[in-house]
Amino acid sequence: HYHINKPQMVVVNNSEVPNGSEYSRYIDENGKYFRLSYNADSIPNYFAMELAQQLYNSQYFESVEVLLTDSNYITGNKGIESQLADEWLSQYPYSVHLAINDIRPCATMHIEPLDGYFAANFRIATSTQLQCVIPGDTIHPIVVTDTVSWSAYGETPQWAREELPTFEECIYEAIVSLATRTSQYLVPHNHTVERYIFVTGHSAMRDAYRYWGKGKYTEAAYIWEYVYEKGKNRGRRAKAAANLAIFHELNDNYEKALEYAHKALTLFTDNGDVVEADYMTHYCNDLELRIEENISLNHLSW
């Protein structure tokens, strides 16, 4: 969590200009590799401005400012100097400082023969390294990656290339996409999902559901655990395991929830319960995503 509700946000460009040719390649129709070069001078400032705009649009922060650091004072991948971080923490108690220490677009254009035509596939993989400085907290490192791609076709490699957007348009679209993804790590948001409690005519399952309806979730979980461990009916055990997954998810124990969701999925599949197995497959995917997001959020101490 941030230290206060609706803090001020200061986006600081501390990134050196990336090398416009070091990581990018052009692969021709014969599979030969060439260095791909572009002007990267404006990329760090553009990313800082776009990220600030995304954060401002979220309407979560009291205000959003941008600091475009003089090139003589940029420390890049070394990160923010401790003296500067201490200064931010002491002098700006209501502000969160977000330092962009590195942004790196890696562009690949690949020409492929295709049934008498040529396909031009262009991909830009971007990454950024940041530090989030929150008063009263430690400094949190953040790494975000993103990929955007385009395809076009033509009778010759040149015609296929000309059907693509301009290089500059693609670069800036990739930066906007990276800024959007980065802002999602920094703005608290709610995620609504649908979950189902399984009930059967079995007396223990009915008792568990009555407990659940009264808000006595732990008591319900004890019964489901007993049914799962001791039950003979595969479908009933599957439903008990699915309900236990929800119980643990509500208690923010996503790993345990995923464990029971996998058990339920296996049992439903073995029992030939196609609809239930499909539901549990989506549920497992949801939980895996929540675990991934939770790891990112813990890095930010949210």
Side-chain angles (χ1 to χ4, degrees), residues 274-293:
V274 177
V275 174
E276 290 83 354
D278 184 60
Y279 163 72
M280 291 311 301
T281 299
H282 290 294
Y283 191 2
C284 288
N285 292 338
D286 273 355
L287 287 171
E288 287 169 358
L289 181 60
R290 292 203 70 175
I291 289 169
E292 183 181 326
E293 289 176 344

Side-chain angles (χ1 to χ4, degrees), residues 50 54 126 146-148 172-182:
E50 183 60 35
Q54 298 278 356
T126 51
D146 189 43
T147 302
V148 184
Y172 288 121
E173 186 175 330
I175 291 171
V176 170
S177 181
L178 179 65
T180 301
R181 183 177 287 269
T182 304

Side-chain angles (χ1 to χ4, degrees), residues 6 25 42-43 49-50 78 101 107 130 210 217 224 235 251:
K6 295 183 74 68
R25 296 292 180 267
S42 61
I43 285 176
M49 297 295 292
E50 183 60 35
K78 295 178 183 177
N101 296 328
L130 312 97
R210 276 198 294 270
Y217 305 127
W224 288 328
N251 286 284

